[in-house]
Amino acid sequence: MGIEGIGARVARKEDKRFITGKGRYTDDMSVPGMKHAAFVRSPHAHAVIKGIDTSEAKKMPGVIGVLAGAEMKTDGIGSLICGWMIHSKDGSPMNMGDWRPLAETKVRYVGDAVAIVVADTKAQARDAAEAVKVDYEVLPAVTSAVDALKPGAPQIHDNAPGNQIYDWEIGDLDAVDKAIASAAHVTTLDIVNNRLVPNAMEPRAALGVYDEAEDHYTCWTTSQNPHVARLVMSAFYNVAPENKLRVIAPDVGGGFGSKIYIYPEEITCLWASKKTGVPVKWVADRTESFLTDAHGRDHVTTIKMAFDADNKITALKADTIANLGAYMSLFSSVVPTYLHAILYSGQYVIPAIHCNMRTAYTNTVPVDAYRGAGRPETTYALERVVETAARELGVSPAELRRKNFIREWPYQTPVILQYDSGDYEASLDAAMKAADYDGFPERKAEAESRGKKRGIGMSCYIEACGIAPSQAIGSLGAGVGLWESAEIRVNAVGTVEILTGSHSHGQGHETTFAQLVSDRFGVPIDSVSVVHGDTDKVQMGMGTYGSRSGPVGMSAVVKALDKVEKKAKMIAAHLLEADESDIVIENGQVKVAGTDKALGWHEVALNAYTAHNLPADMEPGLKETAFFDPANFSFPAGCHICEVEVDPDTGKVEIVQFVASDDFGNIINPMIVEGQVHGGLAQGIGQALLENASYDPETGQLLTASYMDYTMPRADDLPSYHVSNTVTPSPLNPLGIKGCGEAGAIGSPPALINAITDAIGNNNLNMPATPQRVWAAINAA
Amino acid sequence: MSKVEMTVNGRTVSAEVEDRTLLVNFLRENLNLTGTHVGCDTSQCGACVVHVDGKAVKSCTMLAAQASGSEITTIEGLAAGGELHPVQAAFREHHGLQCGFCTPGMIMAATDMINRYGGKLDEKTVRAELDGNICRCTGYHNIVKAILAAAEEMSGSAKVAAE
């Protein structure tokens, strides 16, 4: 590696604008004539709309327009869709209820948009929104998926009888039931995976600009995947044809999944811009974010794990009900199925696996992918049941895991997936060493002498990143392909532009992608620019989520670099009168190996563009494009160990040590990878200790709709982390990368809950393990 | 309407604003200083922290009219003469930011914190002091590192200046 190449701990190129206040987020954008929008939202969880009276609102100061759903429907704006078809086990397609961007006849959750108000200022728009009178006939509401599936529950969508979206299964139920019946030991656990709000710090926003002269729309929006936004808004929502719609996702302040989806607001701002003749900007306030950003998790599971007399796992059975909220968000259907159920082998050889998944509509915010998306839910259930089994069997949790580890790769699980590579024992050993696992009994005794209950817990997780290949996911119901594109433009002076369909909203692509070029051509990263987030600049891309920017996005860059390198070498060979196979590129020089004949990188670039002396038949220029569609997912894995002290008088949990040993394959920039792990751990610890989206079950009101009610992890809630890596490169992409974005959020919740239950001696504990719950569990033990 | 006049990043500014205009909106919309962010509207997240007469203040909690007559420093005014402030430099050096949205508020709060403690900070104090600033990306690990490093750098240079 060079000092700025692959593997280098390079400080980020993009930081300067952020630390000096020069970041450009959607709310920072301003265009001439721009006006401000506020949405009229349902205060009821479930109600029939009997009428909407906008007359008073239209007379309010500064108001330019008040628009409701009926008009939108007349204009042909389409309903929101879920982009992944899942079929129930009886063969029937999932029941997708109609989701209008502005509800016309019925509202189904508190926050459902009913109308948009456009005014001179944001304050005026809000004032006028409050003056819109909506006549609601309030209906009974249901917020829990378990309750929604019970007979007699309020019916939310006409085409989803009993509120069921699908009843899906995977695996061999007979084999699993036989194995359980003949097992030496079966551990059963009832698990709740608590509902979370992603809470990117930048609230969602959209600025829609309609240009009448060109009949063209521009949308600045807080998106993780602007190209998908354009595709969906064109193909399904009939906002405009793709060539008449430009989507720009400028600096985006975090996403964690919540900014993948195309929401009603951006569609409505674009449409309203045409209707009112002014550019329309909307920025969510925090409560609006709580009420409308897709939530995450919300599973209720019964899991069983069967063992033979030698403590080898013989079967696993998981039965889950998942809450998908009031409507099916863009990828909501795949999260509990192909991002969750097929991960149930974990790091273990399990001969028989079966998972049944029922999903339900409720009168809550739609639920979709949030950091880890399905995989944290799997890992939480699996790693708690393994730890519980170890306690029941009276064996070491580490040794029970070790005994059952997969040890040969590629490994075919019984539930579709084939793992690429790994060494789970290496991660376990590294984590146990870093945590001084063997020294725990001494520390526990010392804590006891101070009146504290000390516990240790671990989790050995597996993740699946870079969902692929396109053909395979298409056969499983995906409505899109999941490749990535890249274009490398070498300018005439040798500087380089990378155009990528990946989108950075904190991940540091402007640095790590540039490191690939620096590594290849020896040019400094300051001579490399990364262009992303604009559908006018980058032809097509699938965006950033599920740790796909490394294994998929960077691989596309590598493929394009291969082509550029080949052409550069041909040009150099021609100019230096050498054989192409003798040309090497080192430290910004293009050389004939073993001689002093060399050209500067910039000279080769200049020659490509002057085209005065190119090989016969070669086209001028030095610019190449590539698409990369991986052969399979990549499978990061690792071991997290958490040690806690619990105050038995108050139930307060203190994390005294958190160790993560992760295998992400090869690493481009260790500093950035560590940062991803830290952030993931904080979100996982937040889920385990603090966070919960709580609904009033009667009224369907979200009780935790601000930072005064929803407990975001703060600096003094969290420890410093000990993170390290083991490496088994993925054989599935040219860089050997596996992905690192979700690992922290996947591995940490079970490690933490295993530690707390170890400390208090009561396994009956749900997340978030608040002091109240922990205290109650101690006193029930 | 209220007439407000204040010094922002060394420049005197004045305007007629609606009475209900918050300082953060005045900075962002009237002065186009968009480095100060709004993250929560309830004075919890600290993305809007600026310095008012040398003290860290959540600018979503203060009316522009209340700040009239004050001296305001925003993130845009922190670096002097093209040189990054030591806290800004430390956030970059220690990877104390990812998406960058909370960063201006974090840096303004951290600068105030270091000033108040005269550079004498430890991890526990930094974590407690950061209670009013929320970050969703970094898990705070590197923010804490960056602030401790900046505190050391600033107290070191303060000592040199004193000598």
Side-chain angles (χ1 to χ4, degrees), chain A residues 187-199:
Chain A
T187 296
T188 303
L189 212 52
D190 292 316
I191 297 273
V192 176
N193 204 289
N194 47 323
R195 184 181 180 111
L196 303 175
V197 183
N199 273 307

Side-chain angles (χ1 to χ4, degrees), chain B residues 75-90:
Chain B
I75 187 70
E76 290 93 342
L78 192 62
E83 285 280 308
L84 291 178
H85 186 278
V87 176
Q88 291 173 313

Side-chain angles (χ1 to χ4, degrees), chain A residues 484-491 495-501 517 520-521 529 531 537-540 553-571 580 601 604 608-609 614 617-628:
Chain A
E484 195 47 83
S485 77
E487 184 178 328
I488 302 294
R489 293 182 187 162
V490 182
N491 298 317
T495 56
V496 181
E497 283 154 22
I498 304 171
L499 289 81
T500 170
V517 175
R520 184 70 69 103
F521 300 136
S529 298
V531 178
K537 293 181 179 167
V538 178
Q539 187 222 332
M540 187 57 180
M554 282 185 171
S555 296
V557 171
V558 167
K559 270 187 80 177
L561 285 173
D562 289 345
K563 296 181 190 177
V564 169
E565 181 180 341
K566 184 169 170 45
K567 186 167 180 182
K569 283 181 171 173
M570 285 168 73
I571 294 168
E580 196 190 317
W601 168 253
V604 176
Y609 287 96
L614 292 178
D617 302 327
M618 181 183 274
E619 289 177 11
L622 195 51
K623 181 191 94 145
E624 299 288 350
T625 301
F627 286 70
F628 181 75

Side-chain angles (χ1 to χ4, degrees), chain A residues 18 83 211 229 274 276 305 326 338 343 371 374 393 439 615 643 662 688 696 716 727:
Chain A
F18 296 127
D211 178 342
K274 183 174 183 178
T276 58
M305 184 173 260
Y338 296 112
L343 271 295
R371 202 167 195 166
L393 293 165
E643 200 165 319
D662 301 295
D696 182 291
D716 57 355
V727 178

Side-chain angles (χ1 to χ4, degrees), chain A residues 12 19 25 28 286 691 713, chain B residues 28 39 88 98-99 136 140:
Chain A
R12 299 200 316 174
I19 58 180
Y25 300 89
D28 302 339
R286 182 55 60 184
E691 298 179 42
Chain B
R28 288 183 56 82
Q88 291 173 313
Q98 291 181 27
C99 81
R136 193 59 154 170
Y140 304 99

Side-chain angles (χ1 to χ4, degrees), chain A residues 362-585:
Chain A
T362 61
N363 296 111
T364 65
V365 178
V367 178
D368 207 323
Y370 163 58
R371 202 167 195 166
R375 290 149 288 194
E377 294 90 318
T378 317
T379 303
Y380 182 64
L382 185 59
E383 287 304 296
R384 277 203 68 187
V385 82
V386 171
E387 191 98 359
T388 304
R391 292 174 192 167
E392 289 175 358
L393 293 165
V395 298
S396 148
E399 294 317 305
L400 184 64
R401 287 178 170 90
R402 197 187 297 276
K403 180 177 251 234
N404 286 284
F405 275 158
I406 292 162
R407 291 172 186 278
E408 282 177 18
W409 294 266
Y411 176 79
Q412 179 63 53
T413 75
V415 276
I416 300 183
L417 294 179
Q418 188 186 65
Y419 298 165
D420 53 352
S421 63
D423 185 347
Y424 307 144
E425 198 154 30
S427 308
L428 175 67
D429 287 342
M432 287 174 72
K433 190 166 172 226
D436 184 22
Y437 196 81
D438 295 338
F440 173 73
E442 223 169 279
R443 299 194 292 276
K444 186 179 174 72
E446 187 277 328
E448 251 168 37
S449 73
R450 290 182 282 109
K452 295 287 173 69
K453 292 176 179 287
R454 196 159 174 129
I456 194 164
M458 63 166 59
S459 85
C460 294
Y461 70 90
I462 192 142
E463 198 196 345
C465 292
I467 307 165
S470 297
Q471 194 181 352
I473 61 164
S475 73
L476 297 177
V480 291
L482 284 172
W483 41 264
E484 195 47 83
S485 77
E487 184 178 328
I488 302 294
R489 293 182 187 162
V490 182
N491 298 317
V493 291
T495 56
V496 181
E497 283 154 22
I498 304 171
L499 289 81
T500 170
S502 296
H503 182 273
S504 183
H505 30 279
Q507 295 87 344
H509 294 173
E510 288 168 46
T511 305
T512 52
F513 282 47
Q515 286 180 258
L516 302 180
V517 175
S518 183
D519 195 79
R520 184 70 69 103
F521 300 136
V523 295
I525 58 170
D526 280 344
S527 301
V528 185
S529 298
V530 176
V531 178
H532 68 103
D534 185 339
T535 60
D536 261 13
K537 293 181 179 167
V538 178
Q539 187 222 332
M540 187 57 180
M542 296 311 297
T544 289
Y545 38 85
S547 289
R548 64 192 309 281
S549 298
V552 191
M554 282 185 171
S555 296
V557 171
V558 167
K559 270 187 80 177
L561 285 173
D562 289 345
K563 296 181 190 177
V564 169
E565 181 180 341
K566 184 169 170 45
K567 186 167 180 182
K569 283 181 171 173
M570 285 168 73
I571 294 168
H574 177 74
L575 293 170
L576 297 169
E577 297 177 334
D579 194 82
E580 196 190 317
S581 61
D582 291 331
I583 302 290
V584 292
I585 304 179

